[in-house]
Amino acid sequence: MRYKKNTKNNLLADRVVEFILTRNIEQLGNLTEEEIAETLKVKPSYLLKTFRTQQNIALKRFITREKIHRAIFILDKNQAISVEELSHKLGFH
């Protein structure tokens, strides 16, 4: 039984990562933990605890890290966008 629960938790954490990584910058900028929980049909507290246990990082920190990685990638590839505009799109105010 314990193995099945861990598999379920692993799958949930993987689904969360996939959900985050497939958002565009505007969606990522407005993304909340509650929205993820609602989309995946789990309680927010369960989602946060499971994600932290499986990924060894808090969900909010993971989202912030992904925003920063996206910003670096976009700024490296697109000189036409300003840091201010990009930071606004990614939810850094």
Side-chain angles (χ1 to χ4, degrees):
M1 270 299 196
R2 185 176 174 102
Y3 180 74
K4 287 183 181 180
K5 184 175 182 185
N6 285 338
T7 300
K8 178 182 168 187
N9 291 344
N10 286 338
L11 289 174
L12 177 60
D14 290 345
R15 288 177 59 207
V16 171
V17 170
E18 181 181 357
F19 183 83
I20 293 167
L21 296 180
T22 58
R23 303 300 97 188
N24 66 37
I25 61 171
E26 286 85 7
Q27 292 169 326
L28 187 60
N30 296 318
L31 190 61
T32 65
E33 296 164 335
E34 292 78 17
E35 178 185 346
I36 296 169
E38 183 179 318
T39 301
L40 298 178
K41 297 178 177 41
V42 295
K43 291 184 179 180
S45 59
Y46 176 72
L47 174 70
L48 297 177
K49 181 179 179 184
T50 300
F51 189 84
R52 183 169 185 77
T53 301
Q54 297 299 316
Q55 297 292 323
N56 294 318
I57 187 172
L59 180 54
K60 189 173 206 111
R61 188 176 188 107
F62 182 85
I63 294 169
T64 301
R65 188 175 71 182
E66 180 57 23
K67 288 179 183 183
I68 292 168
H69 287 154
R70 293 269 184 100
I72 291 167
F73 178 80
I74 291 168
L75 289 171
D76 189 47
K77 299 293 180 195
N78 184 0
Q79 298 297 323
I81 191 167
S82 72
V83 172
E84 182 179 3
E85 179 184 355
L86 182 58
S87 65
H88 182 72
K89 286 183 179 187
L90 287 169
F92 295 118
H93 302 286

